[in-house]
C-alpha cells in the first residue's frame, strides 16, 4: 500500500528556514517523479516543485532560488528545503506521487 | 507557463441531478509521447485532495462510475451523472504535460 507521510512544518519567522520531509512506503521514491504542492488557507492548490526519476528538478517561479527539492534513496524520503521564507509561503504542504497524496504539513510564516 | 481556467467557480446542484465542470488550458495538453496529462481531483472539506480521473478519462480505482472525464486538446470536462451528498467539495483540474498547473477550483454544493 502506498503511503506518504509529511513532517517538518511549523511556525517560522520571515526570512527563516524549514526542511519538510515526506516518508514514502509501498513504492520507490527514486524510480518515480514526485512533487510538492501547497495550499494557502482558504485557497486553491499550487504546484511548488518536482523531481524526476533521473534527478532533474523544477520549481514554480514563486519559490525559485529559495526552495530546493531533494531525496534520500536510502531512506525512501523526499525533502523540501525552504529558505528565505515569506508570509505568503504560509500553507499546507503536500507531497504527491501518481495520484497519491499525503496528509500535508502546515507551514506558518509569521513574526 | 500553461494556465488552467475552470468554470464555474461555484456549482449548486440538486441531489440526484447531473453536474458538469469545464477546464480549459492556455495551450494544447497533448504531450510529445502522445498522451494528454489532464487529471481531476476532488477535495472534500478538511481532507487531502484525491485523484478521480487521470489522462482525461481514466477513473482511479474506487472512484464511482458516476464520475466521468472527457475532452481533448485544450478543452476538458468532468461530469457527475447524479450528484450525491458525499460529492460536496472542491474539484480541481491539473495538467501534467508541462510541469504541473492546477485550475482555480470549482466548489460543488447541494442546493
Amino acid at each position: 500500500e502506498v503511503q506518504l507521510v509529511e513532517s517538518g512544518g511549523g511556525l517560522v519567522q520571515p526570512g527563516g528556514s524549514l526542511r519538510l520531509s515526506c516518508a514514502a512506503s509501498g513504492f520507490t521514491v527514486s524510480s518515480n517523479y514526485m512533487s510538492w504542492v501547497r495550499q494557502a488557507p482558504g485557497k486553491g492548490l499550487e504546484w511548488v516543485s518536482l523531481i524526476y526519476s533521473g534527478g532533474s528538478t523544477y520549481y514554480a517561479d514563486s519559490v525559485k532560488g529559495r526552495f530546493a527539492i531533494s531525496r534520500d534513496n536510502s531512506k525512501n524520503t523526499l525533502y523540501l528545503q525552504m529558505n528565505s521564507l515569506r508570509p505568503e509561503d504560509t500553507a499546507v504542504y503536500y507531497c504527491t506521487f501518481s495520484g497519491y497524496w499525503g496528509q500535508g504539513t502546515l507551514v506558518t510564516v509569521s513574526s | 507557463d500553461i494556465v488552467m481556467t475552470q468554470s464555474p467557480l461555484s456549482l449548486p446542484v440538486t441531489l440526484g441531478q447531473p453536474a458538469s465542470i469545464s477546464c480549459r488550458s492556455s495551450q494544447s495538453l497533448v504531450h510529445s509521447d502522445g498522451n494528454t496529462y489532464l487529471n481531476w481531483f476532488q477535495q472534500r472539506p478538511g481532507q487531502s485532495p484525491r485523484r478521480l480521473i487521470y489522462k482525461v478519462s481514466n477513473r482511479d480505482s474506487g472512484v464511482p462510475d458516476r464520475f466521468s472525464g472527457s475532452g481533448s486538446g485544450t478543452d476538458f470536462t468532468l461530469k457527475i451523472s447524479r450528484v450525491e451528498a458525499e460529492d460536496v467539495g472542491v474539484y480541481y483540474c491539473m495538467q501534467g504535460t508541462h510541469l504541473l498547473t492546477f485550475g482555480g477550483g470549482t466548489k460543488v454544493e447541494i442546493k
Side-chain angles (χ1 to χ4, degrees):
Chain A
E1 180 193 4
V2 170
Q3 277 201 320
L4 299 167
V5 179
E6 301 96 336
S7 61
L11 175 63
V12 61
Q13 291 190 338
S17 298
L18 275 179
R19 189 178 81 156
L20 306 184
S21 300
C22 173
S25 57
F27 72 101
T28 303
V29 166
S30 61
S31 299
N32 294 278
Y33 97 77
M34 297 193 66
S35 300
W36 287 97
V37 174
R38 68 184 180 184
Q39 187 170 35
K43 302 297 184 182
L45 300 172
E46 179 190 15
W47 168 70
V48 173
S49 179
L50 70 83
I51 182 168
Y52 284 111
S53 56
S56 299
T57 59
Y58 296 87
Y59 301 92
D61 288 345
S62 57
V63 307
K64 204 172 293 182
R66 300 187 298 124
F67 289 12
I69 191 171
S70 63
R71 63 193 180 205
D72 184 329
N73 297 343
S74 67
K75 296 182 178 178
N76 209 36
T77 297
L78 181 73
Y79 299 101
L80 186 68
Q81 177 67 43
M82 305 187 297
N83 300 327
S84 303
L85 282 162
R86 305 167 180 169
E88 55 265 35
D89 295 320
T90 294
V92 174
Y93 284 73
Y94 298 98
C95 76
T96 175
F97 148 71
S98 188
Y100 296 95
W101 293 64
Q103 84 288 351
T105 186
L106 176 62
V107 172
T108 303
V109 184
S110 174
S111 53
Chain B
D1 292 5
I2 297 179
V3 176
M4 304 296 289
T5 304
Q6 278 184 241
S7 61
L9 223 58
S10 176
L11 185 55
V13 294
T14 301
L15 288 174
Q17 292 301 303
S20 180
I21 299 171
S22 171
C23 176
R24 289 184 173 169
S25 58
S26 58
Q27 55 187 275
S28 174
L29 297 185
V30 180
H31 194 274
S32 57
D33 65 7
N35 290 305
T36 300
Y37 296 100
L38 187 284
N39 300 335
W40 288 97
F41 294 86
Q42 174 196 62
Q43 189 175 31
R44 291 172 172 151
Q47 295 187 11
S48 299
R50 166 200 183 195
R51 194 177 69 182
L52 301 174
I53 302 286
Y54 63 95
K55 286 194 285 185
V56 181
S57 59
N58 298 275
R59 259 191 315 273
D60 273 278
S61 174
V63 174
D65 61 7
R66 64 179 181 275
F67 290 93
S68 65
S70 63
S72 63
T74 60
D75 288 343
F76 305 92
T77 302
L78 175 71
K79 291 183 178 176
I80 310 173
S81 59
R82 294 172 306 279
V83 172
E84 297 189 5
E86 65 178 19
D87 300 336
V88 165
V90 182
Y91 291 76
Y92 298 91
C93 61
M94 185 210 81
Q95 70 81 19
T97 295
H98 180 68
L99 302 180
L100 301 181
T101 315
F102 289 92
T106 295
K107 186 174 184 178
V108 172
E109 56 188 10
I110 305 301
K111 277 185 187 173

